[in-house]
Amino acid sequence: MFPRTPSTRPAFGALPDGSTLHSPSRSKVCYVESNNDLVTDDSEFILQALYDCNNGGHVVFPANTSYLIGTALDLTFLSHIDLDIRGYILFTNDTDYWQAHSFKQIYQNATTFFQLGGTDVNVYGGGTLDGNGQIWYDLYAANQYILRPILFGTIGLHGGFIGNLNLIYSPEYYNFVANSSSVVFSNIFITGYSKSNNTAKNTDGWDTYRSSSITIQNSTVNNGDDCVSFKPNSSSILVQNMHCNGSHGISIGSLGQYIGETDIVEGILVKNISMFNASDGARIKVWPGVQSELSGDLQGGGGTGMVRDVLYDGMTISNVDYGIEITGCYGQSNLTLCNEFPIEVEEVEIAVDEIGAVVDAAGIVADAAGVGTDVAGVGMDAAGAGTEEVGVVEEAGVAEEAGVAEGEAGAGAEEAESLLEEGEEKEGLLVRLEGLLAGVEMEMEKVEAVAEEEEEGLLEKEEGLVKGAEKSLKGKKGLLKREKDLLKREKDLLKGKRSLLKEKKGLLEKIEELLQELEIVLL
């Protein structure tokens, strides 16, 4: 029934330090059974295959097969195993069950449908995970306190590859990476917008939390919140070759949300990003030193932290409100309170290259309201990258005037001054144009690849439907032939019955004659 050869492993790519994942080949193959009706829970079949092939096996979810998951699955026991997802996985729309049984991840009320963890775990195959998000978008619009599950929870995974997957219609974040290390995410296509008037909210592409040595690359994110967000205690993370559409940018934070906790983000490299139709390109958001409320289900402030060794290198932006946004009073609209209770992030070091500005903060960085601001220099390079206003901005959208600061503004600012002095603005525009063309070319390649995959999938489905129709037609022809034969037999039986009735009538007439003769004799 299923192809008996598992998928070939994709190239895993490198970790942020340049090293590669070590993952021995697998020696056993298990195929996941399915009711294949998207009505009956297939969770037991999935667990059975994972237990059977754990510690050295390759688990296959076959193509053209559907799986329904209606049970919260704790998969943190996995070790030395590949999950080859070729089919389609749908999570049920039983919102009451998931709010009661999804896995609570502590941070910002995050919950997950499942939690995948362990050692040396790889997930790939080209299949699709569907979070059934629409019912959650509508439910959250009516009640902001509901707990919406995250589609893919990578929790406590140490060593692994997750890629070549389609993630669609997540109720909240698409990926939450917590307490994990040495994991590569690559070639993941993310999309899913609301089909009603209720917006799909908080649909971050990736959120990292208390994790290190993570690579996120070569992926497309169509969403309405952060493309990638580095939450507290994220370190040594590489994000590269990403196409982000409709997002809030690639963000640091939010930080300083919880009193008594210190949030550190360091060793971050973000490069070669295409950012379209977004509110921000590069962004950092920090809670103030006073309790604040961004929304009824998201409150905080008063924590401490530090941001250092962060580089944004090469970002093409189009229809983006702000190339760079630094918010030091996240969730608090009262500027008087912001000034009275400044943020407690002790150090912020961020460098931004080739999106129009270089920020090198020596001390506490905040928004334009002036809360604890101590910026060593803000510069603008000649490329400009299409930003109308570049600099340190507040969340309300007020931008400080961009310019070349005195002092050490970084190599990017010096280069910009040199180019401007020499009157070579055209060269900067050409650089910008080349970047935009490269972004468009990348977008077209990804769209073509997705279209080709979708076309292949449709062709496979169409072939299956045609074969099914042929089988159905053949079966109908057989049934019609049988019915015709039965009608003929019934006709023959009726003919035989008529003949028997005629013979019976003749016999009755003869019996009547004999009785009359017998009556005469007796007389």
Side-chain angles (χ1 to χ4, degrees), residues 443-498:
E443 181 181 10
M444 290 301 297
E445 289 177 354
K446 291 177 179 177
V447 169
E448 289 174 1
V450 171
E452 185 177 349
E453 290 180 2
E454 290 180 350
E455 184 177 358
E456 290 177 356
L458 289 173
L459 287 173
E460 289 180 0
K461 290 181 180 178
E462 186 175 354
E463 288 176 0
L465 290 173
V466 170
K467 289 180 180 179
E470 289 176 351
K471 290 180 180 179
S472 178
L473 182 59
K474 186 176 180 181
K476 287 181 179 179
K477 286 181 178 179
L479 288 173
L480 288 172
K481 185 177 179 181
R482 288 181 62 189
E483 288 179 2
K484 188 176 179 181
D485 291 341
L486 288 172
L487 287 172
K488 186 178 179 182
R489 289 180 63 187
E490 287 179 3
K491 187 176 179 181
D492 291 340
L493 287 171
L494 286 172
K495 188 176 180 181
K497 286 180 178 180
R498 288 175 183 170

Side-chain angles (χ1 to χ4, degrees), residues 100-115:
H101 297 93
S102 58
F103 296 99
K104 310 301 186 292
Q105 303 300 339
I106 302 174
Y107 183 74
Q108 288 188 344
N109 301 318
T111 68
T112 57
F113 283 122
F114 65 91
Q115 46 187 16

Side-chain angles (χ1 to χ4, degrees), residues 243 274 276 316 433-449:
H243 175 98
S274 296
F276 297 91
T316 299
L433 180 60
E434 289 175 357
L436 289 172
L437 289 174
V440 172
E441 185 178 354
M442 180 186 297
E443 181 181 10
M444 290 301 297
E445 289 177 354
K446 291 177 179 177
V447 169
E448 289 174 1

Side-chain angles (χ1 to χ4, degrees), residues 144-352:
Q144 64 179 327
Y145 297 101
I146 67 163
L147 298 176
R148 296 160 292 158
I150 294 163
L151 181 55
F152 204 113
T154 304
I155 313 298
L157 176 59
H158 302 286
F161 171 85
I162 299 171
N164 296 23
L165 296 172
N166 303 296
L167 306 182
I168 63 176
Y169 300 110
S170 179
E172 197 173 3
Y173 313 158
Y174 280 86
N175 287 278
F176 187 55
V177 186
N179 303 307
S180 298
S181 63
S182 301
V183 182
V184 175
F185 295 86
S186 186
N187 293 308
I188 293 180
F189 180 79
I190 290 174
T191 193
Y193 297 103
S194 175
K195 298 176 182 177
S196 71
N197 293 327
N198 299 317
T199 305
K201 294 185 176 181
N202 310 117
T203 52
D204 299 16
W206 273 269
D207 279 18
T208 62
Y209 175 68
R210 294 181 178 176
S211 295
S212 64
S213 190
I214 307 294
T215 295
I216 302 170
Q217 64 181 11
N218 306 330
S219 297
T220 297
V221 179
N222 297 297
N223 69 339
D225 212 303
D226 296 327
C227 184
V228 179
S229 179
F230 311 112
K231 302 298 187 188
N233 303 312
S234 296
S235 64
S236 184
I237 297 178
L238 169 65
V239 176
Q240 63 180 353
N241 308 328
M242 299 290 291
H243 175 98
C244 305
N245 178 55
S247 78
H248 292 176
I250 295 184
S251 304
I252 299 170
S254 60
L255 306 178
Q257 181 175 0
Y258 300 109
I259 296 174
E261 294 189 12
T262 300
D263 299 337
I264 299 174
V265 174
E266 61 181 347
I268 309 295
L269 174 58
V270 179
K271 66 178 185 178
N272 192 25
I273 307 298
S274 296
M275 187 71 65
F276 297 91
N277 309 311
S279 62
D280 304 277
R283 185 186 187 197
I284 177 171
K285 41 191 176 180
V286 180
W287 292 84
V290 63
Q291 183 69 20
S292 303
E293 180 177 301
L294 185 65
S295 61
D297 61 335
L298 187 57
Q299 305 171 6
T304 62
M306 177 173 57
V307 178
R308 62 187 178 191
D309 188 21
V310 176
L311 173 63
Y312 289 77
D313 183 10
M315 180 183 289
T316 299
I317 61 177
S318 176
N319 193 30
V320 174
D321 294 338
Y322 298 111
I324 305 169
E325 182 172 11
I326 301 176
T327 302
C329 203
Y330 189 65
Q332 179 56 258
S333 58
N334 189 327
L335 298 184
T336 300
L337 286 176
C338 287
N339 285 309
E340 186 177 354
F341 301 97
I343 60 177
E344 299 294 334
V345 177
E346 298 178 356
E347 178 181 2
V348 176
E349 296 178 358
I350 306 174
V352 183

